[in-house]
Amino acid sequence: MDPELPPVERTVSTEEALESIERARSWRERLVEAVTGSEIWRSVIRHGNPALRRNRSLAVVGNFFLHLHPPTVTRQALKFPHTWYMGGISFLLFLVLTVTGTLLMFYYVPDVGRAYEDMKDLQFAVSFGPLLRNMHRWAAHGMVVTVILHMIRVFFTGSYKPPRQFNWVIGVGLLILTLLMSFTGYLLPWDQLALWAITVGANMAAATPLIGHQGPFHELVGVQADSDIRFLLLGGTQVGQNALIRFYVLHCILLPLVAVLFIGVHFWRVRKDSGISNTR
Amino acid sequence: MLDLELDDQSDRRPPSHWESMKRRAFTLTGIGSLVAVAIAWTAGLVRYMFPRIRYEPPTRFVAGFPESYRPGEVDTKWQKDHRVWIVRRGDGIYAILANCTHLGCTPSWFGDERLFKCPCHGSNFTQVGDPVAGPAPSPLYRVSLSIGPDGQLIVDKAIQENRPGHRDRPPFRLTLDGNSRGDVPA
Ligand code: HEM
Ligand code: FES
């Protein structure tokens, strides 16, 4: 028996009783209550006792991450024979690329005198460098494959038809962005393969009608080797420092930002077009 | 519940003609300025992305005395720095741009086969620059050659020609047998 408690036979007022209960609570209980009762805690843990089904569904519906699987996107509709999981896997690879790419940026400097050496350091001197570099490379190749397979499945299941035409258009944008991210990333190792691949790729741009200096009708616009679309892409007439920094900025910042925007709209459209196609 | 007083706008005076014109002018000026700023920014951005200073090798360089090149040979000593081969063939000398006409890789000279071969997609070119295999659609470009005051060759890559006939006249091919064309001092 707690010696602090008053003897049972004495009559006590309500205040006295509450006071003694309060005194009897351990400091641990008080701490827990101070934390879980605080405004900050309750703003993060927003839902009641999870033993209740209703609270559990509220927690799912009110959560951004769990909302990726909302009621309009049913488990039935996501089944492998219909989606091949290719959209979801493309997104997963995009996340892998974002994380590994950000980590690679801690060592890679886009300078013609350093870039190749930095890649070699990542390969041979940096702890876990080869793992990150290989993950980035394989995920990049993989994403091109899965995005194309995803497009094929959308075509075969007829999911581009009304009301989903707009999402198909967004998808074409995502395909182009995926290819551009691959192309710009290819220059960054700054080895012979990179240099000549980008030389060849940029020379194809020179054959663009009107705005490429070797393309049809370029005389009408009057573009030259130092004023055409290829020059704009490379920041020069040949692949050099300007091209490297341009491709680096496009690859690490601009294209991923635009891709995030497009992916956001893409997923939102799946819901607005009443979910994945074989439900309705 | 509904506050009918608020809904009743009968005591509001409709804007006079002058007032609504003023409003319209204000709105149009606002939208117009926004559009103008957007256009100016876009134009400025496009111009910004075209660099005015380029850190690229100059297009002209001095390539030594014509006689220092061996007859019948392709000299590749300028390939690395300037992407140019000097060829002395018959009574003439010319400079070929080492830039594949397919998509711009650098071919290599294979002396035993007497062919330029491109590593990227396999185009082959003869010693005069004509394509004989692979996807390259046209002959290699020749670049301008001239003789400087000290008698040394000057190569200018800004001036190019690859049409048969045209490419065999100065400045795309100089004759070395004395003064026959008056372009090379004896
Ligand atoms: C970065 C690339 C892409 C990502 C991350 C992505 C992701 C997704 C995901 C997760 C879905 C849900 C269903 C599923 O997984 O199949 C989806 C649906 C869809 N995607 Fe993509 N996608 C990409 C590129 C494309 C491309 C290239 C196209 C076609 C041009 C496309 C057109 C569509 C359409 C029309 C739907 C709705 C399909 C339906 O309702 O059945 N997407 N996408
Ligand atoms: S670039 Fe030479 S063959 Fe394609």
Side-chain angles (χ1 to χ4, degrees):
Chain A
M1 252 253 287
D2 196 322
E4 300 255 276
L5 283 181
V8 183
E9 55 282 6
R10 241 194 69 196
T11 39
V12 286
S13 68
T14 322
E15 292 84 56
E16 272 181 311
L18 286 175
E19 218 172 279
S20 55
I21 292 172
E22 180 62 28
R23 254 185 280 122
R25 287 175 43 192
S26 70
W27 63 269
R28 218 178 296 151
E29 279 175 278
R30 282 182 227 192
L31 184 68
V32 168
E33 199 192 279
V35 172
T36 59
S38 74
E39 192 80 359
I40 297 177
W41 178 276
R42 288 192 293 139
S43 75
V44 178
I45 312 296
R46 308 183 292 286
H47 306 287
N49 185 351
L52 298 179
R53 278 165 155 262
R54 181 170 179 279
N55 283 343
R56 284 211 299 277
S57 7
L58 282 178
V60 169
V61 172
N63 184 299
F64 175 77
F65 300 100
L66 299 178
H67 193 82
L68 288 176
H69 278 184
T72 41
V73 178
T74 61
R75 203 197 298 183
Q76 179 57 35
L78 280 169
K79 286 255 159 70
F80 182 79
H82 186 67
T83 67
W84 296 352
Y85 299 160
M86 280 306 144
I89 293 176
S90 303
F91 183 54
L92 178 70
L93 290 175
F94 182 76
L95 294 182
V96 168
L97 287 162
T98 310
V99 172
T100 55
T102 309
L103 293 172
L104 291 173
M105 286 173 77
F106 283 114
Y107 282 98
Y108 175 86
V109 179
D111 176 295
V112 290
R114 274 193 68 170
Y116 180 71
E117 311 291 326
D118 289 347
M119 298 311 287
K120 287 289 145 194
D121 276 359
L122 277 164
Q123 199 79 39
F124 296 109
V126 178
S127 308
F128 297 106
L131 178 74
L132 288 174
R133 204 186 153 198
N134 286 338
M135 279 180 75
H136 198 74
R137 188 96 185 185
W138 284 102
H141 289 315
M143 188 171 158
V144 173
V145 173
T146 57
V147 166
I148 290 171
L149 286 176
H150 171 61
M151 189 173 182
I152 291 173
R153 96 85 181 144
V154 169
F155 181 74
F156 281 163
T157 56
S159 310
Y160 54 85
K161 291 178 195 167
R164 298 186 174 79
Q165 307 99 313
F166 182 52
N167 220 12
W168 175 268
V169 174
I170 301 283
V172 173
L174 281 168
L175 176 69
I176 293 169
L177 281 167
T178 307
L179 297 179
L180 284 179
M181 286 189 281
S182 289
F183 181 62
T184 50
Y186 211 77
L187 180 64
L188 305 185
W190 202 248
D191 54 9
Q192 288 293 317
L193 186 63
L195 189 88
W196 295 110
I198 303 309
T199 300
V200 165
N203 281 341
M204 290 185 200
T208 313
L210 292 171
I211 51 175
H213 79 277
Q214 291 170 341
F217 313 120
H218 73 268
E219 313 85 8
L220 298 180
V221 185
V223 292
Q224 307 273 314
D226 62 358
S227 59
D228 71 340
I229 182 74
R230 172 173 171 278
F231 184 80
L232 182 67
L233 183 68
L234 296 181
T237 58
Q238 41 185 267
V239 180
Q241 177 63 66
N242 279 2
L244 183 58
I245 191 68
R246 271 173 200 224
F247 278 49
Y248 177 76
V249 173
L250 287 172
H251 183 79
C252 301
I253 299 178
L254 208 61
L255 294 171
L257 272 183
V258 179
V260 164
L261 191 76
F262 272 61
I263 291 174
V265 176
H266 196 60
F267 290 1
W268 188 72
R269 272 326 306 173
V270 170
R271 285 144 185 71
K272 291 293 139 180
D273 298 334
S274 51
I276 290 172
S277 54
N278 76 342
T279 37
R280 242 162 280 176
Chain B
M1 258 186 71
L2 247 175
D3 192 345
L4 290 176
E5 290 297 352
L6 267 184
D7 265 5
D8 181 9
Q9 304 191 335
S10 53
D11 62 332
R12 283 216 193 146
R13 186 173 52 81
S16 71
H17 177 69
W18 171 238
E19 275 170 341
S20 59
M21 285 313 282
K22 237 175 27 178
R23 243 181 250 178
R24 181 167 304 184
F26 180 75
T27 314
L28 287 182
T29 316
I31 293 176
S33 331
L34 284 181
V35 170
V37 169
I39 291 174
W41 262 91
T42 311
L45 192 67
V46 170
R47 184 64 192 87
Y48 173 77
M49 293 308 291
F50 282 93
R52 295 206 292 183
I53 299 174
R54 306 207 302 264
Y55 299 90
E56 292 175 358
T59 58
R60 275 164 67 95
F61 67 97
V62 178
F65 293 97
E67 295 75 24
S68 67
Y69 294 92
R70 289 204 289 154
E73 294 290 312
V74 172
D75 198 307
T76 56
K77 71 177 168 208
W78 304 111
Q79 178 182 318
K80 190 163 183 299
D81 290 338
H82 296 286
R83 282 192 97 175
V84 163
W85 301 302
I86 308 277
V87 185
R88 217 177 133 181
R89 195 166 179 274
D91 61 350
I93 186 165
Y94 49 85
I96 300 184
L97 194 64
N99 191 343
C100 180
T101 50
H102 178 224
L103 284 167
C105 290
T106 308
S108 307
W109 171 245
F110 286 77
D112 45 348
E113 296 173 64
R114 311 211 64 74
L115 285 175
F116 297 104
K117 295 186 165 190
C118 183
C120 286
H121 318 93
S123 289
N124 291 3
F125 304 88
T126 62
Q127 207 177 6
V128 294
D130 289 331
V132 288
S138 54
L140 292 168
Y141 280 87
R142 305 239 181 120
V143 298
S144 154
L145 268 188
S146 55
I147 304 288
D150 58 355
Q152 296 201 66
L153 285 170
I154 297 172
V155 182
D156 189 347
K157 292 187 285 179
I159 306 168
Q160 306 182 358
E161 179 59 77
N162 76 342
R163 288 168 296 170
H166 297 262
R167 71 181 180 193
D168 294 319
R169 289 198 284 272
F172 304 108
R173 180 179 182 280
L174 304 184
T175 313
L176 288 184
D177 65 345
N179 289 319
S180 62
R181 282 214 171 92
D183 43 18
V184 177

